[in-house]
Amino acid sequence: MVADIPEGDSAIALGPQLLRSWLGYRRRVEERLAANGFAEKRLPNGALLRLCAKDTEMTVSRIGRELEISRQGASKQVTELCEQGYLTLEKSPGDGREKYVRLTPDALAFLRSFDRARREVDEEIRAQLGSEALDALSALFTLLAEPGEARVNVWREARARATLLGLGDQ
């Protein structure tokens, strides 16, 4: 399947196409999450939850370092997720000033549901486009990715660049 993209001055620039695609992908995943009981307007920070799932001794300070945000920013996000019922705080036995951040059963259910929803959307797209088209998209994404991108906080970078590109914070 080949997309019908107009040529010349009326052609849509690649950047906005990628953004529209990302928003559509995100909407599809969120629809599946809603169908599985996660219909909150503001879904939890999956990157933060995944960090906590990796290590039982995750602290607010470490979250800040891992996400490359301030300790205060990490603390604010952790507090919000505690209020939403996705995290709890437990005093560290070794340091009374530090607290371990723990996932709740709701957080684990959200992560499982999110992974399942993402896989379902990926499979649906593969069925519609075919493997060859997805391989071409993957090649495009690899071409566009900057070297060392794995170390970049992708979401923080995307927010910063969205403002720079005049895309707003929507």
Side-chain angles (χ1 to χ4, degrees):
M1 176 179 171
V2 178
D4 182 23
I5 300 173
E7 295 184 20
D9 292 336
S10 63
I12 300 172
L14 184 58
Q17 286 182 63
L18 291 169
L19 180 60
R20 283 183 54 217
S21 298
W22 165 244
L23 293 173
Y25 181 88
R26 181 176 169 169
R27 179 187 45 77
R28 288 179 181 197
V29 170
E30 288 173 350
E31 286 171 354
R32 282 171 174 75
L33 283 169
N36 290 319
F38 295 97
E40 299 93 4
K41 176 122 175 99
R42 184 163 184 250
L43 293 170
N45 181 329
L48 194 152
L49 294 180
R50 286 186 195 291
L51 271 178
C52 296
K54 281 196 243 180
D55 191 342
T56 59
E57 296 188 3
M58 188 60 66
T59 63
V60 173
S61 297
R62 187 160 162 220
I63 289 170
R65 286 191 302 274
E66 295 280 338
L67 295 179
E68 298 178 4
I69 59 176
S70 68
R71 188 189 187 293
Q72 292 80 9
S75 180
K76 181 180 177 193
Q77 288 186 31
V78 167
T79 298
E80 288 174 4
L81 289 170
C82 285
E83 290 169 357
Q84 291 177 317
Y86 290 106
L87 296 175
T88 60
L89 296 173
E90 179 182 305
K91 286 188 179 184
S92 165
D95 182 354
R97 297 172 295 164
E98 197 62 78
K99 295 179 182 172
Y100 291 137
V101 182
R102 306 279 190 228
L103 296 174
T104 65
D106 284 347
L108 293 170
F110 170 79
L111 288 172
R112 283 190 298 272
S113 183
F114 179 82
D115 287 341
R116 185 174 49 252
R118 193 181 61 207
R119 280 192 310 274
E120 288 171 1
V121 170
D122 290 354
E123 290 168 8
E124 177 183 291
I125 292 169
R126 180 175 299 282
Q128 290 174 348
L129 290 180
S131 293
E132 188 175 308
L134 274 185
D135 290 346
L137 280 173
S138 182
L140 171 66
F141 299 149
T142 300
L143 177 69
L144 293 174
E146 295 181 25
E149 187 174 347
R151 294 188 39 83
V152 173
N153 182 324
V154 175
W155 306 118
R156 184 174 67 186
E157 182 78 9
R159 284 190 299 273
R161 298 217 182 257
T163 301
L164 176 68
L165 294 171
L167 301 173
D169 188 14
Q170 300 175 9

